[in-house]
Amino acid sequence: KITQITTGAPIRAVTALIGRLPSKPGIRAIKLHNILTTIPINIVDGSNILWSLVLKINLVRCGIANPKKAMDDYKAETGKGAVGIMPIYAPEEMVHATGYLPMGIWGAQGKQISKARTYLPAFACSIMQQVMELQCEGAYDELAAVLFSVPCDTLKCLSQKWKGANADKVIVFTHPQSRGLEAANKFLVTEYELVKKQLEAYLGVKITNAALENSIAIYNENRAVMREFVKVAADYPQVISAVDRHAVF
């Protein structure tokens, strides 16, 4: 199974993971292997950071290619489902603290738009058009709730037009853009309190301070690692392509 899902990784990385050469390395695996073997040995020695990184990127790409499977696997493992997160300011940490899986909603590539035109004008951005199309097809019906941040007019409209099985579990969150004002900060606190109250009601859970602090720590650590990844990706563009970088994010 590991061999099948890592055929895009360099041959040496797969060998290190499963203890033998992959039976059918793909063309991309061979190309990556050839590129990485040109890097000075002191860079890839020891912990084999680059080999490990490229392998993990390929595992990530397998995961994001099937988000429904990721949600189903999480539900089977934990007994809890997923909460949809609309871009871009929604407090994911609060969803994480419930034990549910925060799952970003970003539409799909190459999706033919037809049903969405009933609800959105033609000039609405492609992400919102695709999200609405998928929503009309029932792609998001298994989400336990949907959390909207509304930094643009289209997102405001979409939150009001949400249909389907979870239409009664839509949470709208407004993030003030000018946080230099004390009034804006007070407003933000109130918004967080409302999101917390609605998540607890819709999901039937209690968000404790300890759970929230733990989630904030996890997300802060993740952001620090991502900042470091950006630096590594910039230093080794011949190893980490723009597509790989996008997959990680």
Side-chain angles (χ1 to χ4, degrees):
K1 182 178 180 181
I2 292 177
T3 307
Q4 293 173 353
I5 65 173
T6 57
T7 51
I11 297 169
R12 178 174 167 183
V14 179
T15 303
L17 180 68
I18 64 177
R20 57 182 171 79
L21 289 169
S23 57
K24 296 180 180 180
I27 294 175
R28 185 169 182 271
I30 295 172
K31 287 182 178 178
L32 280 170
H33 178 80
N34 293 337
I35 290 171
L36 287 175
T37 52
T38 65
I39 297 176
I41 192 65
N42 63 318
I43 294 180
V44 295
D45 250 0
S47 60
N48 290 319
I49 294 175
L50 288 179
W51 300 106
S52 175
L53 180 59
V54 174
L55 175 57
K56 288 176 181 177
I57 287 174
N58 281 272
L59 293 173
V60 167
R61 287 165 69 91
C62 291
I64 64 173
N66 194 342
K68 187 178 185 306
K69 183 179 184 304
M71 180 181 70
D72 291 342
D73 290 347
Y74 185 85
K75 189 171 185 178
E77 180 182 344
T78 67
K80 296 182 177 181
V83 173
I85 305 289
M86 293 295 290
I88 56 176
Y89 296 116
E92 288 187 42
E93 295 91 333
M94 203 168 287
V95 174
H96 184 272
T98 67
Y100 280 71
L101 178 67
M103 180 164 285
I105 300 178
W106 288 90
Q109 293 183 338
K111 186 68 180 175
Q112 184 68 35
I113 304 301
S114 58
K115 300 180 182 69
R117 299 193 188 283
T118 304
Y119 303 99
L120 295 175
F123 56 79
C125 75
S126 60
I127 294 176
M128 295 300 104
Q129 296 268 11
Q130 292 161 4
V131 167
M132 193 68 201
E133 188 71 22
L134 288 167
Q135 193 270 337
C136 289
E137 295 177 355
Y140 305 123
D141 282 355
E142 293 185 38
L143 294 173
V146 182
L147 177 56
F148 279 83
S149 63
V150 287
C152 71
D153 290 339
T154 307
L155 273 166
K156 292 176 184 177
C157 294
L158 194 59
S159 67
Q160 298 165 3
K161 299 175 185 295
W162 197 257
K163 313 293 181 182
N166 45 31
D168 59 338
K169 294 181 175 63
V170 171
I171 302 171
V172 179
F173 168 75
T174 302
H175 191 284
Q177 299 299 294
S178 177
R179 286 173 293 152
L181 299 174
E182 182 60 25
N185 290 320
K186 290 181 179 179
F187 176 84
L188 181 58
V189 170
T190 301
E191 286 291 291
Y192 284 145
E193 290 173 344
L194 289 173
V195 170
K196 178 177 179 290
K197 182 178 179 180
Q198 288 180 287
L199 282 172
E200 290 177 335
Y202 293 156
L203 304 180
V205 299
K206 178 68 176 177
I207 302 175
T208 65
N209 287 339
L212 189 55
E213 289 173 1
N214 178 63
S215 295
I216 291 172
I218 290 172
Y219 270 75
N220 284 345
E221 180 183 8
N222 177 71
R223 294 183 181 106
V225 171
M226 295 302 281
R227 287 192 293 269
E228 186 64 26
F229 169 72
V230 169
K231 296 177 182 178
V232 174
D235 290 338
Y236 300 100
Q238 75 277 32
V239 177
I240 305 169
S241 69
V243 174
D244 290 333
R245 182 178 181 276
H246 176 71
V248 172
F249 275 99

